[in-house]
Amino acid sequence: MTYSGDPSAGRTSVRFEELAEWGDLWDKYDASTDGPQPVPSWYHSIRHRNWWGSGATLSQLHALARDHGIPVARVPPADVLRELVQADDEHEAKLAVLLRHQERIRTACRHEVPSDSDGWLTDYPETARRVLAAWDDGHLLAAACLALAAAEDLMFIVSRVDRSKKYPGLTSAAAREPHPQWWPHEQVVLTPIESLFSRYFPEKNDPIPQNLSRHAVMHRLPLEHMNDGHCIVAIMLMVSLLAEHEWHMIEEQIDMWDEDGEEDGDGAAAD
């Protein structure tokens, strides 16, 4: 047994330092050896729900996203993450894990994509649904190309990078190390973006990057690079960014409700 219980049980407030310590302990929970355990109430403050039970540390998940461009936030189930971390460090070995579990990953993507567009001012949810529909129909490459196009727009929104800073702004934001005391799970959402924009100039005969490359897809589209594994990576990236964007929208709405409540309260007191 590696995980013995929830240190945050019964707590209604917490310091950042405590959250960081609890995160290190929670990362040790491996559902395959420790059996089922309920998700701690504070877990979502510094970790993504799909990490629970993977037995993977924050540094391992960050390395997976950084070194292989594989999105780890929100989408891959915990046991898939466990297998990804434990797989040989060769990039092809990581992609092979995605291929073995593509049906479960596709199901996880469906759970993260909004079922309707109520409350949205953009077409992102409908775009994501069309991506998954194309995947369902066996058109994985077409689905991935649309997903990559949608993901590029979502990157700027989720990272809060001004579009005038363009790709260097995105890669700079994605390259930041997750700080253990400042919502590190939010940083890991962005991590795969750095390798996505790796240097690639076909006119200079640059070698095609190992990881999924936005520039290779958009400027040359070599089909050997846009293989099934990288297609799944592109779709996972779009879905993880969409889910993060939705969560930010929910947080902003809650903040607005809280502000309205305080204003109403002040007015009632004045009366």
Side-chain angles (χ1 to χ4, degrees):
M1 299 287 286
T2 59
Y3 180 76
S4 58
D6 178 15
S8 68
R11 296 288 295 273
T12 57
S13 63
V14 60
R15 293 179 290 110
F16 286 124
E17 295 81 3
E18 290 177 305
L19 271 177
E21 293 175 1
W22 295 345
D24 291 340
L25 177 59
W26 289 329
D27 290 346
K28 296 179 180 179
Y29 169 50
D30 185 334
S32 67
T33 57
D34 298 333
Q37 297 279 351
V39 182
S41 58
W42 286 94
Y43 186 80
H44 303 85
S45 300
I46 55 171
R47 299 291 190 266
H48 287 290
R49 173 64 181 82
N50 63 305
W51 296 356
W52 178 245
S54 68
T57 66
L58 176 64
S59 61
Q60 287 174 321
L61 293 168
H62 177 247
L64 182 63
R66 180 195 63 217
D67 299 341
H68 297 280
I70 296 177
V72 297
R74 298 188 176 274
V75 177
D79 55 340
V80 176
L81 286 174
R82 184 187 309 117
E83 192 171 333
L84 281 166
V85 168
Q86 294 175 353
D88 188 270
D89 202 43
E90 292 294 323
H91 188 62
E92 293 303 318
K94 304 298 187 184
L95 295 185
V97 174
L98 300 181
L99 292 173
R100 282 197 297 273
H101 296 286
Q102 62 178 298
E103 290 305 319
R104 299 189 59 230
I105 292 171
R106 182 162 49 165
T107 297
C109 287
R110 287 196 200 98
H111 289 162
E112 292 297 333
V113 172
S115 58
D116 58 52
S117 299
D118 290 348
W120 289 79
L121 301 178
T122 64
D123 291 330
Y124 297 128
E126 176 61 23
T127 300
R129 291 193 293 270
R130 293 190 184 196
V131 165
L132 294 179
W135 191 2
D136 289 341
D137 290 342
H139 305 298
L140 180 56
L141 178 59
C145 290
L146 178 57
L148 200 57
E152 185 164 326
D153 198 34
L154 285 164
M155 290 172 203
F156 285 99
I157 296 172
V158 173
S159 66
R160 297 185 171 91
V161 169
D162 191 299
R163 291 175 188 273
S164 65
K165 296 182 179 180
K166 300 183 179 179
Y167 303 139
L170 283 177
T171 55
S172 177
R176 298 185 190 120
E177 292 286 323
H179 192 291
Q181 296 180 14
W182 296 97
W183 294 278
H185 59 316
E186 295 188 358
Q187 177 58 39
V188 177
V189 174
L190 304 178
T191 301
I193 295 172
E194 184 182 12
S195 67
L196 186 71
F197 290 96
S198 298
R199 169 193 168 96
Y200 174 68
F201 294 100
E203 65 274 14
K204 296 181 180 180
N205 295 317
D206 286 344
I208 297 174
Q210 168 189 260
N211 296 352
L212 175 62
S213 165
R214 180 267 182 201
H215 297 328
V217 173
M218 298 300 182
H219 298 311
R220 183 60 60 87
L221 191 56
L223 294 181
E224 69 273 16
H225 177 69
M226 203 60 176
N227 53 50
D228 286 358
H230 280 163
C231 285
I232 294 172
V233 168
I235 295 171
M236 290 168 61
L237 179 61
M238 176 203 66
V239 171
S240 67
L241 289 169
L242 178 65
E244 189 72 6
H245 178 34
E246 182 178 30
W247 177 244
H248 288 176
M249 290 171 56
I250 292 171
E251 286 184 319
E252 291 170 1
Q253 187 64 56
I254 291 173
D255 289 342
M256 289 176 58
W257 289 338
D258 288 343
E259 291 174 2
D260 289 344
E262 290 174 2
E263 292 174 2
D264 291 345
D266 291 343
D271 291 336

